Amino acid sequence: MPESITFSGSTLDRSSNQRRDAEWIARHLDDEAARFLPMWKLNPLVKLGDERSLAWARREMFDDVEPTPMPVLLGVDGDVAHFAVDVSSVDDPEVTFGVDEVAKFEELRGVVPQLSHSEASIAAQARSLTDWHARHGYCAVCGNPTVPELGGAHRRCPDCAAEHFPRTDPVAIAVVGRGDQCLLGRGSGWPSTMYSALAGFIEPGETLEEAVRREIHEESGIRVGDVHYVKSQPWPFPSSLMIGCIAEGTSEQITVDFGELEDVKWFSLETVQAALDGRSSELFVPPPFAVAHHLMRAWAQRTAAG
Ligand SMILES: [Zn+2]
């Protein structure tokens, strides 16, 4: 089994076939055992205490919320359905729901290192889906209000019958190696020694490899030859799929695109290895929950092995 990555590995079964059945959805919504994850302004409700975990609620918790929120199916664990519920319309949710002593709505990026692998993935799914529903209330074809269907798996326009599906936006992210040198860049506003893999959205009509070559050249002036896929990561801010690669640099002279980045530099294998182990004062890299960290580690291991 491949090494898993943060925001993947949900233990819920998405039930893609069963959720087409409206009665199946209704039965699970009414099931006393069903679990509901409150989301407030895209933040999941998380239990307080030494061991943080998602604070699942019963459906009655949302009885007084106006307008009535629509639960979005996340999946089932055994026979128990799990839903996300957007309660952003509530002003002071922890007090309103009487949970301020035991749970708090947390920004996902901050709390994710404290959640279990599966719950981080479930919270990511809930965040992306909640965000998409909140922003797709109107039909992109005719402008009329849309309604959710299949437990929130998509929305349909009752007026023109157009179907609208949740987006996942592919992002190419790559560590470029040339011999024992590694190309990394930093965005503006980052800590002064922090550098990461270069990344950009894949555009219509492009392959992953073409997107890597274009983005790297645009941002750094470096030409890239071979591109090898390594691993991907869902990134729910709001709904990207990071597609991680190691690419072979075929030129050396850097020309930074200052519109996109503050700096791009070549770093030695030794410096990258030290940074990955938290031993470098010269270079600070993203934490292990980001795919960039895994790409740098994969590049360092391959390069060290020759
Ligand atoms: Zn329409």
Side-chain angles (χ1 to χ4, degrees), residues 183-187 190-198 262-267 282-286 292 296:
L183 187 78
L184 302 173
R186 46 176 277 104
W190 292 15
S192 63
T193 56
M194 176 145 182
Y195 285 77
S196 185
L198 302 185
E262 196 166 284
D263 192 23
V264 181
K265 277 205 306 210
W266 292 105
F267 290 91
E282 176 191 347
L283 174 63
F284 180 70
V285 296
M296 286 179 212

Side-chain angles (χ1 to χ4, degrees), residues 45-283:
L45 188 62
V46 182
K47 288 182 192 166
L48 295 172
D50 292 342
E51 289 186 16
R52 311 297 305 272
S53 60
L54 298 178
W56 296 96
R58 290 159 67 102
R59 196 177 178 186
E60 298 85 75
M61 180 169 170
F62 315 104
D63 281 352
D64 297 330
V65 177
E66 297 279 351
T68 305
M70 185 237 17
V72 173
L73 180 70
L74 300 171
V76 298
D77 181 357
D79 199 36
V80 177
H82 291 57
F83 297 86
V85 184
D86 188 353
V87 295
S88 301
S89 62
V90 176
D91 285 338
D92 197 353
E94 283 131 2
V95 174
T96 303
F97 297 130
V99 298
D100 47 333
E101 305 275 303
V102 292
K104 192 170 183 296
F105 288 93
E106 298 275 12
E107 206 279 318
L108 184 55
R109 231 182 284 237
V111 80
V112 73
Q114 297 166 270
L115 294 178
S116 75
H117 204 70
S118 175
E119 287 209 329
S121 172
I122 293 166
Q125 180 194 7
R127 191 185 194 284
S128 289
L129 273 175
T130 306
D131 178 71
W132 180 78
H133 279 287
R135 293 197 285 149
H136 290 77
Y138 293 90
C139 179
V141 179
C142 74
N144 281 298
T146 57
V147 292
E149 287 191 339
L150 313 187
H154 74 204
R155 300 183 75 93
R156 181 186 295 275
C157 173
D159 213 58
C160 76
E163 289 180 309
H164 303 281
F165 291 87
R167 314 171 47 138
T168 296
D169 301 323
V171 174
I173 177 166
V175 161
V176 178
R178 182 166 166 81
D180 66 351
Q181 302 285 304
C182 175
L183 187 78
L184 302 173
R186 46 176 277 104
S188 60
W190 292 15
S192 63
T193 56
M194 176 145 182
Y195 285 77
S196 185
L198 302 185
F201 286 104
I202 300 175
E203 296 191 350
E206 260 184 338
T207 64
L208 168 62
E209 293 83 353
E210 288 170 329
V212 168
R213 293 189 188 104
R214 176 182 55 77
E215 279 290 340
I216 298 294
H217 187 252
E218 281 174 7
E219 294 182 356
S220 70
I222 297 298
R223 293 288 182 189
V224 160
D226 284 348
V227 175
H228 299 281
Y229 168 75
V230 178
K231 65 168 62 179
S232 64
Q233 179 181 38
W235 193 249
F237 308 100
S239 57
S240 295
L241 177 66
M242 312 297 286
I243 307 177
C245 300
I246 292 177
E248 186 192 331
T250 57
S251 67
E252 269 173 32
Q253 185 62 44
I254 293 170
T255 308
V256 181
D257 173 5
F258 291 107
E260 296 243 5
L261 294 170
E262 196 166 284
D263 192 23
V264 181
K265 277 205 306 210
W266 292 105
F267 290 91
S268 71
L269 173 61
E270 202 181 357
T271 302
V272 172
Q273 283 172 325
L276 287 166
D277 296 339
R279 296 184 281 108
S280 175
S281 55
E282 176 191 347
L283 174 63

